[in-house]
Amino acid sequence: MKIKCKKIVGGIAKGKLLFSDQPINFLAMLDLKTGQIMDTNHKLNNLALKDNILVFPNAIGSSVGAYTIFSLKNNNTSPNGIICTNSVDITTASGCAISNIPLVYIEKNNYEILKNHYEEKGKNSEDVLLDAENESIILN
Amino acid sequence: MQLTREEEKAISGEYGEANAMAYRILVAIGEATDAQNLIPIKWAHVSGVNYNTIGDSGLNFLRKISEDGGRISVKSSLNPMGFDRRNIPDLPQDFIDKQLEITTYYERIGITPTFSCIPYEILPIPESGTQVSFAESNAAVLANSHLNLITNKESALSALASAIVGKAPYSDLRTEEYRNPTTEIVNESDIENELDYGLLGYFIGKTMKKSCTGLCNLSKKTDFWNIKSLSAGIGTSGSCGMFKIKESSKNNEKISFGDKEFKETKDELNTSEDGQIITFGSPQLGFEEICKITALIEGKKFTKPCKIFCPRSVFDKSEECGISSILQKSGAEFICDACTCLTPLIKKENYDSIITNSVKAAYYMKTSNKISVALKDVKTIVKEYSN
C-alpha cells in the first residue's frame, strides 16, 4: 500500500515505524550517544530512534534541537527518516536538511491510515519504505 | 518556493559552499512552512554556541561553514556559551578548548560575540514591523509579542543561514494572517509574580498547537520580568511563537488556565522542596532585574551560594553603578557569557538540587542535567535564603 506525503527533505529511507503522539524537544530529551529519548514524562522514554522511521507531531522547545539531529546523524544514532504529522517545524526541517535525513509531512487522513497499519502489524511489522523523492510511504 | 535567478545560482554553489548550504537550509524550511519566496531580514540572532549542546558535530559544521567562506550579510548577535570567558572555571581542558574554538568560528563568520539570550535588552531595537530572524526561543516569542518585531520561532541553523544570506522564508508568523490568534488562553488564576507568568507560559507552550495565541484576562501593564518569564515558558514547552494579550473574542476557541492547570504545571516542574544553590538567569538577567534583587538583598547575606547569569554588558553597567559590589558582598557570584540553562557549571556530580525562579531553568535542569528544582519567586527566595 502507498500513502501520499509531502517532501520536505529528499531521499529514501527504510525502517520500522516508531510512533509518538507527543512532540519532542530534541535538545532536552535525546541521549546523543545512544539515540534514546530520556524523559520520564515522554511515552517513548528509553526507546531509541536509531534505524527507525520516526512518526511524530513536531519538535518543540529549544532552537538548538537542529544541531541535536545533526549530532545523532554523525553518531550513527539518528532515525533513518522522519514523518511529521502536525506541522513541519523549522528545527526539524533545518536539522534534517544538513543531516540528509529524508523528511516528509502527512495529512491527517493519511496519518490515520499509517497509524492503523502500525497498530494492526504491531511493533514487529516489516520495514516501511519512505520515498521522499516520490512523495510516498510504501507499506507492506 | 519561487527562487530568483541569483538565489538559484547561490544554491548551485556559484557563491561558495557556505552560501549554498545556507540556501539549502532556507529552502527546506520554505518547503516545510509553505513559503512562496524569501524576504530580506535586518537582524539575525544565532543560537547553538554552548559546546555542551552542539558537541563535536556542531563544532565541525561551524568550522566548515567558516572555512567555506560563510560570512554574515546582516547585523547578527550570538547566544550564550558554556562559561565566562574572563573568569574561566574549573572545567575539563578539552571542554574549554572546544568551547573557545566554537567562538572563534562564529567570530570568523562575523557574528558579534554578545553571548546573550536577551539580545533585546543589550542591542538597539529596530523600528516596529521589522523582519528579523531570532533563534533562541524566549527571544523569538518576546520579539513578536512585545517588541513588534517579526520573526518565526527560528532554529539555530535557520538563524545562521539567515545571518549569512540576509533572508528568510516568507511564511507562518512572518505573514499577517498568522499573527491573528484564532485560539485564546483565558487566565482564571491569580497570576502575580515572574514565576507565575513562567508557569502560565509553560502551560501555553504545551497546550497551544498554533503559532500565535490570544491571552485574555491578563493585565497589559506588567513588569518586563513577567513578560520575559512568560515568553521563556512558552518557548520552552512548545512550538508557539507569539502571544497577544487582548480582550476575549466571541469566535475564538478558548482554553482555560485556572487553579487546577496552575497546580498541575507547577507540580510537573517543581521537583524539590529545597536546593543546594540559588540560580538567577534563564533567560539571563537584565539590568532592571539585577536592580530588583539588589533592592531585596541589600544589607543582608544569602545563606546559600547564589549564581547570577547575565550578559557582559549588563554586568559592566552594574559595576559602574556600584550595584554588582552590593550583590557580591551579599554572597552572589556573577557569571557572564553563559546561562543557567544547560550550563556545564551545574552538574549532577556537584548538585542534586537547585533553587530558581525560572521555569525554563527548571525544565532543562530536570530533563537534561537530571537535577531537582525548587521553584520559588524572587521575593520568596531572598526572604527564605538570606539573613
Side-chain angles (χ1 to χ4, degrees), chain A residues 6 8 25 27-29 38-39 41 58-64 66-67 70-71 74 88 90-91 93-95 97-98, chain B residues 21 25 28 31-32 34 47 54 57 62 136 153-158 235-238 342 363-364 366-368 370:
Chain A
K6 184 190 171 198
I8 310 298
N25 184 329
L27 176 67
M29 296 176 186
M38 301 303 280
D39 179 357
N41 288 331
N58 54 272
I60 51 165
S62 176
S63 58
V64 186
Y67 277 109
F70 187 55
S71 295
N74 282 310
V88 186
I90 292 175
T91 293
S94 56
I98 67 160
Chain B
M21 173 61 87
I25 292 168
E31 291 299 326
D34 288 325
S47 66
I54 69 167
S57 310
L62 291 166
E136 174 45 49
K153 191 169 179 277
E154 300 296 340
S155 78
L157 294 168
S158 70
T236 299
S237 59
L342 291 137
Y363 174 79
Y364 284 102
K366 175 179 81 94
T367 315
S368 302
K370 313 291 176 202

Side-chain angles (χ1 to χ4, degrees), chain A residues 51-97:
Chain A
D51 296 340
N52 290 306
I53 306 280
L54 174 66
V55 187
F56 83 126
N58 54 272
I60 51 165
S62 176
S63 58
V64 186
Y67 277 109
T68 307
I69 295 171
F70 187 55
S71 295
L72 290 171
K73 176 75 178 190
N74 282 310
N75 293 351
N76 203 19
T77 52
S78 68
N80 289 347
I82 299 183
I83 301 171
C84 284
T85 59
N86 177 45
S87 63
V88 186
D89 59 278
I90 292 175
T91 293
T92 308
S94 56
C96 288

Side-chain angles (χ1 to χ4, degrees), chain B residues 212-258:
Chain B
C212 179
T213 179
L215 191 44
C216 308
N217 208 6
L218 205 68
S219 169
K220 270 189 182 175
K221 285 184 187 162
T222 187
D223 266 22
F224 187 64
W225 203 342
N226 294 342
I227 295 290
K228 226 167 127 175
S229 297
L230 178 64
S231 303
I234 294 175
T236 299
S237 59
S239 53
C240 175
M242 181 176 178
F243 64 85
K244 256 189 182 175
I245 299 179
K246 56 190 270 302
E247 297 286 315
S248 184
S249 305
K250 228 194 220 166
N251 300 332
N252 280 359
E253 190 191 328
K254 291 173 180 46
I255 299 168
S256 163
F257 180 75

